[in-house]
């Protein structure tokens, strides 16, 4: 049983007129070569820290045993500072990990007061290890949640030895240094959404009993494949090229559809990676998160019969962490396992899409564990880097999101008007 990236369903032989040929791929040699060489040049210049950190000694990310005894773990952060950690935690431990394990893990990534309220109703702060993660150290939601928690912790007698700050600057680093919190740096050249395999993800994950050695070793093995110049041997370069070709043919939506619940957070992580990295200068491809088999009953009609603007990526696993045989004499389900059912459903969807001319690729994993997840994460980081070069955008900045942050800050500082309701343009509901 092997793991592989399968792109047969974008080829003419399966997709007919909507498809591409080997000659089409070969004729894009210029694009792939430029994308590959520019990415490697940026790496050589030290701009792509995400490619460097996977070779760090993982020992540096492990906290001493003292930090392992906490009953609760709370991670505070936004976007790239938290989504990857949550994706790996749920991808490895499953969606009911808190119900099953004695250690309970929570993620606080919104300024919604109800979220913090609910978490505070569950955890005892004296027994909670708190990670505050922000590269800039100035992200408003992260600071607000931390400031509130800091006061609460003082009230219940916490001395601050349950707080770990992961940051490379700003207010957060300043507070950390002044108040003597345990701290980890984020390398300057590691961008938020590419940072899960740096201190950002690995420090908290190692406290959540995730095998970070295996995670990183999967990424290192994928790095070897992504260093191949030949697009036919490099899964990330081929994936980027396929998405680039189909984007240019009007496929402006990229749907990602794993057929395993544990990868639902992977969807969320991918959504940010693809959107924030590539959505620039009027370019980009809109990522859409889906989950098989349930979204066959929710989204599939649109994918099959709606606008021809989508390219779909399936992710499926061969072996699940538990399985069941279905028994009902005389019924066609009798004797089949649930894992067979979900994988046949994936195949059915794949074939239906292909017959309708919807390009689709699949990633097939032997199983979903730290090692394969490390591979998958790194493959997508490299795919995004290559795609950025193909599109001619800088995948590693996010200038447009600054505007909204500036307005929020001005409002908090009492400058500018708050919500304005123009009676002519509202309808009461
Ligand atoms: O990918 C990114 O750069 C962003 O999503 C950031 O991770 C996010 O805005 C949080 O920023 P920070 O880590 O500075 O708090």
């Amino acid at each position: 049983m092997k793991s592989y990236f399968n792109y047969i369903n974008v080829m003419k032989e399966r997709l007919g007129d909507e498809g591409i040929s080997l000659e089409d791929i070969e004729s894009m040699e210029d694009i792939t070569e430029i994308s590959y060489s520019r990415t490697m040049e940026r790496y050589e210049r030290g701009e792509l820290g995400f490619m460097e950190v996977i070779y760090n000694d993982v020992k540096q990310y492990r906290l001493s045993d003292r930090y392992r005894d906490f009953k609760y773990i709370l991670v505070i952060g936004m976007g790239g500072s938290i989504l990857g950690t949550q994706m790996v935690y749920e991808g490895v431990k499953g969606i009911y990990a808190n119900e099953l394990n004695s250690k309970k893990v929570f993620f606080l990534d919104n300024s919604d007061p109800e979220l913090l309220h609910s978490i505070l109703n569950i955890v005892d702060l004296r027994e909670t290890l708190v990670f505050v993660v922000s590269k800039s150290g100035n992200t408003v939601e992260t600071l607000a949640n931390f400031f509130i928690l800091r006061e609460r912790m003082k009230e219940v007698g916490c001395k601050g030895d349950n707080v770990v700050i992961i940051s490379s600057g700003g207010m957060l680093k300043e507070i950390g240094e002044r108040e003597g919190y345990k701290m980890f740096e984020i390398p300057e050249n590691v961008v938020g959404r590419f940072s899960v395999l740096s201190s950002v993800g690995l420090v908290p994950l190692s406290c959540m009993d995730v095998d970070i050695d295996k995670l990183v070793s999967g990424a290192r093995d994928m790095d070897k494949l992504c260093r191949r110049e030949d697009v036919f041997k490099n899964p990330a370069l081929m994936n980027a090229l396929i998405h680039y070709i189909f984007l240019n043919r009007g496929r402006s939506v990229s749907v990602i559809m794993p057929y395993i619940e544990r990868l639902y957070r992977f969807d969320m992580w991918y959504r940010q990676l693809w959107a924030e990295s590539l959505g620039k200068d009027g370019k980009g491809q809109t990522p859409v998160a889906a989950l098989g088999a349930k979204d066959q009953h929710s989204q599939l009609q649109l994918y099959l019969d709606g606008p021809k603007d989508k390219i779909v990526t399936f992710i499926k696993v061969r072996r699940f962490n538990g399985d069941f045989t279905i028994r009902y004499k005389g019924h066609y389900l009798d004797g089949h396992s649930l894992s067979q059912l979900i994988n046949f459903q994936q195949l059915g969807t794949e074939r239906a899409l292909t017959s309708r001319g919807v390009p689709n690729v699949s990633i097939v994993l032997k199983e979903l564990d730290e090692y394969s997840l490390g591979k998958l994460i790194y493959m997508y980081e490299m795919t995004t880097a290559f795609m950025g070069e193909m599109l001619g955008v800088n995948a590693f900045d996010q200038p447009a999101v600054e505007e909204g942050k500036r307005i929020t800050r001005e409002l908090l500082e009492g400058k500018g008007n708050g919500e304005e309701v123009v009676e002519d343009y509202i309808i009461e509901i």
Side-chain angles (χ1 to χ4, degrees), residues 75-205:
V75 186
I76 308 173
M78 294 304 294
S81 283
I82 194 166
L83 284 175
T85 312
Q86 193 171 12
M87 168 259 290
V88 174
Y89 178 69
E90 207 170 289
V92 172
K93 300 286 177 189
I95 60 168
Y96 294 118
N98 277 356
E99 282 76 6
L100 292 167
N101 302 332
S102 53
K103 198 174 276 183
K104 319 281 179 206
V105 178
F106 298 90
F107 295 90
L108 181 54
D109 64 345
N110 208 339
S111 41
D112 174 354
E114 290 181 14
L115 182 61
L116 178 55
H117 194 254
S118 314
I119 293 173
L120 286 174
N121 276 337
I122 303 169
V123 306
D124 178 342
L125 288 173
R126 286 162 300 198
E127 294 184 75
T128 306
L129 175 59
V130 179
F131 291 98
V132 195
V133 193
S134 170
K135 185 172 177 207
S136 64
N138 286 327
T139 298
V140 67
E141 299 90 339
T142 308
L143 287 179
N145 282 320
F146 177 49
F147 292 165
I148 295 166
L149 274 168
R150 198 166 147 268
E151 289 301 307
R152 287 291 180 102
M153 284 190 286
K154 279 186 193 157
E155 281 162 27
V156 296
C158 294
K159 294 192 178 63
D161 52 0
N162 62 330
V163 175
V164 177
I165 287 184
I166 305 174
S167 181
S168 62
M171 182 91 190
L172 198 56
K173 192 168 172 190
E174 210 179 289
I175 299 173
E177 283 169 355
R178 195 175 57 236
E179 302 193 7
Y181 292 127
K182 175 84 185 157
M183 291 179 67
F184 285 84
E185 277 281 328
I186 307 169
E188 205 40 60
N189 60 358
V190 177
V191 170
R193 54 198 173 274
F194 290 80
S195 69
V196 57
L197 300 176
S198 73
S199 55
V200 167
L202 298 183
V203 175
L205 286 166

Side-chain angles (χ1 to χ4, degrees), residues 1 54 75 88 168 219 247 250 267 303 312 353 356 370 402 417:
M1 243 197 320
I54 59 167
V75 186
V88 174
S168 62
L247 175 61
D267 278 14
Y303 302 167
V312 177
L353 286 170
R356 297 263 183 153
E370 284 95 332
E402 296 309 317
N417 299 326

Side-chain angles (χ1 to χ4, degrees), residues 148-394:
I148 295 166
L149 274 168
R150 198 166 147 268
E151 289 301 307
R152 287 291 180 102
M153 284 190 286
K154 279 186 193 157
E155 281 162 27
V156 296
C158 294
K159 294 192 178 63
D161 52 0
N162 62 330
V163 175
V164 177
I165 287 184
I166 305 174
S167 181
S168 62
M171 182 91 190
L172 198 56
K173 192 168 172 190
E174 210 179 289
I175 299 173
E177 283 169 355
R178 195 175 57 236
E179 302 193 7
Y181 292 127
K182 175 84 185 157
M183 291 179 67
F184 285 84
E185 277 281 328
I186 307 169
E188 205 40 60
N189 60 358
V190 177
V191 170
R193 54 198 173 274
F194 290 80
S195 69
V196 57
L197 300 176
S198 73
S199 55
V200 167
L202 298 183
V203 175
L205 286 166
S206 74
C207 290
M208 297 173 193
D209 305 322
V210 168
D211 189 336
I212 59 171
D213 284 287
K214 275 174 75 184
L215 191 69
V216 167
S217 101
R220 288 178 186 171
D221 284 349
M222 179 52 72
D223 186 46
K224 289 188 195 113
L225 307 181
C226 295
R227 299 297 180 118
R228 295 171 172 169
E229 279 180 65
D230 182 352
V231 66
F232 291 99
K233 296 204 168 111
N234 182 329
L237 193 56
M238 181 59 94
N239 197 20
L241 182 65
I242 288 168
H243 281 77
Y244 176 75
I245 293 174
F246 282 96
L247 175 61
N248 286 336
R249 293 177 173 209
R251 302 277 169 179
S252 57
V253 176
S254 163
V255 178
I256 192 137
M257 193 166 185
Y259 273 68
I260 177 166
E261 291 273 344
R262 278 193 285 142
L263 281 182
Y264 180 62
R265 294 281 169 192
F266 181 85
D267 278 14
M268 298 296 123
W269 174 81
Y270 163 76
R271 210 167 61 126
Q272 185 206 0
L273 187 67
W274 206 243
E276 202 168 350
S277 304
L278 305 173
K280 282 157 204 169
D281 308 332
K283 299 174 189 168
Q285 192 174 42
T286 305
V288 166
L291 188 62
K294 58 177 77 174
D295 280 339
Q296 292 182 196
H297 301 269
S298 160
Q299 303 295 299
L300 192 58
Q301 169 67 33
L302 173 75
Y303 302 167
L304 286 166
D305 216 14
K308 289 179 174 296
D309 58 356
K310 294 170 199 66
I311 172 165
V312 177
T313 301
F314 293 108
I315 307 177
K316 64 177 176 183
V317 296
R318 294 274 185 229
R319 197 166 54 233
F320 289 77
N321 283 343
D323 205 357
F324 300 89
T325 304
I326 309 160
R327 296 274 174 223
Y328 199 93
K329 255 205 165 87
H331 194 277
Y332 63 83
L333 284 170
D334 190 36
H336 289 291
S337 63
L338 217 44
S339 64
Q340 257 175 345
L341 172 61
I342 196 165
N343 279 336
F344 282 152
Q345 287 180 293
Q346 185 280 329
L347 202 57
T349 305
E350 180 183 318
R351 290 188 180 158
L353 286 170
T354 307
S355 72
R356 297 263 183 153
V358 181
N360 60 91
V361 294
S362 345
I363 294 171
V364 182
L365 303 173
K366 273 189 292 194
E367 61 196 339
L368 181 60
D369 60 4
E370 284 95 332
Y371 177 76
S372 57
L373 196 50
K375 274 188 152 178
L376 194 61
I377 290 168
Y378 195 78
M379 176 177 158
Y380 269 91
E381 289 181 342
M382 288 304 294
T383 300
T384 308
F386 289 137
M387 181 74 164
E389 296 302 336
M390 289 176 191
L391 290 173
V393 298
N394 180 8

